Amino acid sequence: MNDQSNTPEDRSTRLKGMGCSRKRVEDVRFTQGKGNYVDDIRMDGMLFGDFVRSPYAHARVVSIDSAAAMKVPGVLAVITAKELEPLGLHWMPTLAGDKQMVLADGKVLFQGQEVAFVVATDRYAASDGVAAVEVEYDELPVVVDPFKALEPDAPVLREDLAGQTTGAHGPRRHHNHIFTWEVGDKEATEAVLAGADVVAEEMVYYHRTHPSPLETCGCVASMDKVNGKLTVWGTFQAPHAVRTVASLISGIAEHNIRIISPDIGGGFGNKVGVYPGYICAIVASIVTGKPVKWVESRMDNLMATAFARDYWMKGRIAATKAGKITGLWCHTTADHGGFDACADPSKFPAGFMNICTGSYDIPVAYLAVDGVYTNKAPGGVAYRCSFRVTEAAYFIERMIEVLAIRLGMDAAELRRINFIRKDQFPYQSALGWEYDSGDYHTAWDKALKAVGYDALRAEQAQRLADFKAGKTRRLIGIGLAHFTEIVGAGPVKNCDILGLGMFDSCEIRIHPTGSAIARLGTISQGQGHATTFAQIIASEIGIPADDITLEEGDTDTAPYGLGTYGSRSTPVAGAATAMAARKIRAKAQMIAAYLLEVHDDDVEFDVDRFAVKGAPERFKTMKEIAFAAYNQAIPGLEPGLEAVSYYDPPNMTYPFGAYICVMEIDVDTGEHEIRMFYALDDCGTRINPMIIEGQVHGGATEGYAIAMGQEIAYDEMGNHKTATLMDFFIPTSWETPHYTTDHTVTPSPHHPIGAKGVGESPNVGSVPAFSNAVHDAFRPFGLVHSHMPHDHWRVWKIARDLGLHG
Amino acid sequence: MSKMHITLTVNGTAVEGLAEPRTLLIHFLRETLRITGPHIGCETSHCGACTIDMNGKSVKSCTVFVGQAQGAEITTVEGLVNADGSLGVIQENFREHHGLQCGFCTPGMITRAHRFLQENPAPTEAEVRFGMAGNLCRCTGYQNIVKAILASAAQLNAAKEAAE
Ligand code: FES
Ligand code: FES
């Protein structure tokens, strides 16, 4: 085994550790259709459940008649709130400290709300049953506008909260008001605004949209009455938290519940929440004694589970004549729908919206957020986003553009003179965060140079001149964005969900022959955890990544963790992985020293082995050490080689990036063409560049959809207007732009391997880049304000309203 | 509801089963035949996750009643592996070029790519993007899917030339 012919570089390459574009181990299964997603699960006697949903956005439920449905062949049960009430399950707690109806309890609050659950032998019988349930409704006045919802005579939506003047996040001042959240120094900010050289104002609306992963939400619940064990396979981004919540609300002891997240077909925040379908499937399984599957249709998904955004952000930004920002003020009206079902850490009812000072050194700031009930679906989840960071980034990147217009300045230059400087890190932001590290100027200059910024501006000016001279009908827009994210929630001292601290975990066991298994508290939904976490272990302990099995998502076997969302897997579970690996390495060092008959301090780690210091030819490989751990009695050491780490991060991580979009817009049709999209990301240490690049492509495509056409829209009656993929825009390969990716590396100083997380950056950063490009194209004609999504019709209207159609 | 007796050839094997006439082909494949490679992303023929190859054409199997498929020759992603069980050319290129993330669109994508490359063995990037536009992916942004398909085209053509 003493293969001295190998250089450390050769040995290192063989490990496929951190920094290499290791091919994904998941793909062998997925490319031949051998994934195991929830709808692939079939059990003997399995039943199928489906919902009767409300056609109205606000109505009293006068009666529900299931008699006809029960006569439909194959239908076994119809469950309504009445059946759930004795179990205390007709309502359930939300992750945001509110409660939500599992099935309509006397009234409905949004179109598509779950009214009754029909259980049948197969999906066709279930849907026949759904059609046969007769529900009588009495319509009530509808409010879909959060500003109107706060008017004194607005309809009362949540009658269950009558008389409750305090909610989970403090005082409520109106029957449709949920909370007010304030951060920063209001007086000082308003004083700065009052005395500023220049103040720019803007209402920035980040419209309602939806994560809509290609696989919808679903589960299979199976209550084994013989041993009293409940097993639920489901699309859960946080299986351990689901187990705890399921135990608390059902009264079933936690050890008798096993939650399994099988392969998940994309999550993007949609699969963090707990939905009525899960509860109903569990109850139905308990009632019938059979496994029960519930998988929502695409329409159910778009109408009822977890929308995202819907933030009205009124901003004021103050600056000196020279463009130095002196203060930022923001008041946000947050439309939460009928129930507050956001998935934010408890102490942050508006998530990390207070990262809205962005990448800029802003001395004083104030943010207030009012949460409001309306007759729309609940949710407000982080759609590929760390708890409202996308809203915050869009807000500040729009404010910067508006300020640039007021100042008559180039928006790239305005950003540059306001960036937090490298020497200011760790940086205390005016709204309470400590940014861990960053080098914004370097990234920005690299980006501007890469796209040839000055030449682009010259071309744009020429195009404008040609347009004015009647030689072309196409304008060029250059969209800039420099975002700073806050991810990796998070320190247990201030981050919890339902009281569960947001640490994460990893357990590693080395087998006698030197291969290993690692289990984590997170769950992949396409991020490639089985590939990348093995790379961390490979580099840390010198076992080839190919020899490491990685498991997640089974609460009976994996260590407790808070799951995968908010780009927290690498910052938190990745750190736990490194820490667990280091514990193993420390023990391996002692074993190696014993085998080599030297003192512990006289051996050192060398890629895949421990060698005697100064005598590298005397070494023990990790394989040899692993075997020794199981077959030798080593004085003072327990046998075996395994470790577990529960990692509570000392701080969040702050990835950042510079995105630039060059867009051509046809003034007469409103159509656009993305000529170039450049994305520079700094996510600290890079574990697998191939996967990072893939994340950037995917996230930027989601951002493209959101900025350019995707929305969840309602009419005045609360009718959902975008409930199919015909109306809800998901770009195809044809529309999707080509991306150029780039990077800088500023490691996180507090993370064991310096990694910051990247999954969400491209969604956060690309939306303002696309949107700013549209605004920039029309800037010479006086456009300051317009709302996303910038679909062809809306862009055409901008041109028309600016008088460009002649 | 009375059931129909359905016979099909799927991935080279004759199969049969009973189904109500209203059963969608995707449900028959997945639930009766237990061929779970093709997925369901919408059931409204927008997403392409259920794409199969039927009688030499790409078909969204959520748009077809099982009765309409009576006697059909069907290939699903499971049928695209090599005889020795190794990944087929397109499957291997999706892996090589990171053309998938969650994997949910992948069976439909690969099955469509398999047919597309027979329709157009030497496509340009734009032709790939147009020819694959019936299949949605929420994860990858398509760039690496396009790369994988172009690489597959090159390899398949090189192999064909070598054989001639
Ligand atoms: S499931 Fe058939 S196209 Fe979406
Ligand atoms: S890989 Fe997830 S939808 Fe395409």
Side-chain angles (χ1 to χ4, degrees), chain A residues 23-28 30-35 37-42 48 73 122-125 127-128 210-216 263-266 268 293 297-299 383-384 525-528 690-695 697-699 701-702 705 710 724-726 728-740, chain B residues 1 3 20 22-28 30-34 36-44 46-49 77-81 85-87 90-92 94-107 110 125-147:
Chain A
K23 301 293 174 228
R24 299 194 339 155
V25 296
E26 295 87 344
D27 295 356
V28 176
F30 291 157
T31 52
Q32 49 183 317
K34 298 293 182 199
Y37 302 88
V38 72
D39 198 27
D40 298 339
I41 294 168
R42 191 180 65 169
F48 201 90
D122 67 73
R123 65 172 79 219
Y124 287 81
S127 84
D128 289 344
H210 196 285
S212 57
L214 199 60
E215 176 202 37
T216 58
D263 290 325
I264 294 185
F268 316 124
K293 179 188 277 188
S297 71
R298 178 57 57 189
M299 196 178 261
Y383 171 4
R384 204 172 188 143
Q525 307 124 38
Q527 296 91 337
M690 174 191 84
I691 286 181
I692 292 172
E693 188 179 79
Q695 290 285 318
H697 294 169
T701 303
E702 289 180 342
Q710 181 177 88
T724 72
L725 296 185
M726 189 69 133
F728 183 80
F729 175 52
I730 293 180
T732 70
S733 47
W734 182 244
E735 294 98 25
T736 300
H738 189 277
Y739 305 102
T740 305
Chain B
M1 213 172 281
K3 296 197 169 179
E20 290 179 21
R22 63 172 173 171
T23 305
L24 297 176
L25 180 56
I26 183 67
H27 293 141
F28 185 73
R30 289 178 50 80
E31 286 169 18
T32 307
L33 301 179
R34 301 298 299 139
T36 55
H39 294 145
I40 299 172
C42 70
E43 291 171 323
T44 53
H46 293 107
C47 77
V77 72
E78 288 96 334
L80 298 177
V81 290
S86 62
L87 295 182
I90 303 173
Q91 291 166 326
E92 185 57 41
F94 267 65
R95 195 181 81 86
E96 181 66 28
H97 295 282
H98 191 29
L100 63 150
Q101 291 181 25
C102 79
F104 202 74
C105 71
T106 311
I110 288 177
E125 170 169 351
E127 285 167 348
V128 173
R129 285 182 176 270
F130 194 76
M132 295 298 296
N135 291 66
L136 298 178
C137 175
R138 290 292 283 148
C139 301
T140 65
Y142 306 103
Q143 196 155 318
N144 290 339
I145 290 178
V146 173
K147 231 196 255 176

Side-chain angles (χ1 to χ4, degrees), chain A residues 176-247:
Chain A
N176 293 330
H177 180 246
I178 310 172
F179 63 82
T180 299
W181 188 54
E182 282 185 283
V183 205
D185 190 333
K186 184 174 188 211
E187 256 172 56
T189 307
E190 285 175 353
V192 165
L193 287 162
D197 289 355
V198 176
V199 176
E201 285 195 27
E202 170 68 343
M203 171 60 97
V204 181
Y205 178 45
Y206 200 137
H207 60 292
R208 182 176 276 238
T209 179
H210 196 285
S212 57
L214 199 60
E215 176 202 37
T216 58
C217 300
C219 71
V220 175
S222 177
M223 182 74 200
D224 182 333
K225 290 202 171 160
V226 177
N227 63 19
K229 246 190 129 134
L230 170 70
T231 307
V232 189
W233 292 261
T235 48
F236 306 126
Q237 289 182 233
H240 300 272
V242 167
R243 186 187 68 191
T244 303
V245 173
S247 172

Side-chain angles (χ1 to χ4, degrees), chain A residues 327-394:
Chain A
L328 179 71
W329 181 97
C330 177
H331 180 272
T332 294
T333 301
D335 185 339
H336 286 241
F339 308 96
D340 184 8
C342 293
D344 295 318
S346 333
K347 295 188 185 76
F348 298 89
F352 303 152
M353 179 63 198
N354 58 332
I355 193 78
C356 65
T357 52
S359 310
Y360 310 103
D361 183 14
I362 302 181
V364 58
Y366 169 72
L367 165 71
V369 182
D370 278 308
V372 183
Y373 291 123
T374 60
N375 289 120
K376 299 189 207 166
V381 294
Y383 171 4
R384 204 172 188 143
C385 152
S386 181
F387 315 115
R388 307 290 187 182
V389 174
T390 37
E391 288 90 326
Y394 183 62

Side-chain angles (χ1 to χ4, degrees), chain A residues 430-660:
Chain A
L431 293 177
W433 296 112
E434 183 183 298
Y435 292 26
D436 61 348
S437 64
D439 183 356
Y440 302 160
H441 286 95
T442 301
W444 196 236
D445 290 342
K446 187 174 183 184
L448 294 180
K449 192 158 170 243
V451 301
Y453 183 69
D454 294 337
L456 279 173
R457 284 289 181 205
E459 187 193 346
Q460 183 187 34
Q462 181 59 50
R463 181 68 69 86
L464 181 63
D466 290 349
F467 180 84
K468 288 182 173 162
K471 290 191 220 159
T472 178
R473 297 297 290 162
R474 282 159 79 96
L475 295 170
I476 296 177
I478 301 168
L480 306 175
H482 190 288
F483 63 91
T484 294
E485 267 207 288
I486 171 169
V487 307
V492 171
K493 63 178 187 294
N494 58 8
C495 289
D496 70 275
I497 286 189
L498 290 178
L500 302 167
M502 295 181 73
F503 59 83
D504 226 291
S505 58
C506 174
E507 179 187 288
I508 304 172
R509 185 179 306 161
I510 313 293
H511 307 311
T513 54
S515 61
I517 181 165
R519 296 190 171 105
L520 286 89
T522 44
I523 176 72
S524 188
Q525 307 124 38
Q527 296 91 337
H529 289 176
T531 305
T532 50
F533 285 127
Q535 290 181 261
I536 297 176
I537 299 170
S539 288
E540 289 288 339
I541 48 183
I543 290 178
D546 290 345
D547 293 351
I548 302 167
T549 299
L550 199 120
E551 275 184 15
E552 301 175 299
D554 181 342
T555 58
D556 264 10
T557 56
Y560 204 99
L562 266 276
T564 296
Y565 44 88
S567 279
R568 62 186 302 281
S569 296
T570 298
V572 191
T577 305
M579 298 311 267
R582 285 173 195 180
K583 288 184 189 175
I584 286 181
R585 195 166 80 190
K587 184 169 177 184
Q589 177 166 6
M590 292 190 252
I591 297 171
Y594 171 82
L595 298 173
L596 292 161
E597 298 176 349
V598 295
H599 189 269
D600 291 352
D601 295 338
D602 293 332
V603 292
E604 61 189 353
F605 185 64
D606 172 26
V607 184
D608 58 353
R609 61 191 60 179
F610 276 94
V612 175
K613 284 183 187 163
E617 70 288 354
R618 292 188 57 211
F619 63 85
K620 290 290 170 189
T621 64
M622 285 305 299
K623 250 185 187 323
E624 294 168 309
I625 294 167
F627 198 66
Y630 289 88
N631 90 330
Q632 298 223 10
I634 301 172
L637 283 183
E638 289 179 2
L641 194 53
E642 59 182 81
V644 58
S645 167
Y646 285 81
Y647 188 77
D648 177 11
N651 190 4
M652 316 287 269
T653 60
Y654 297 77
F656 61 93
Y659 285 11
I660 298 174

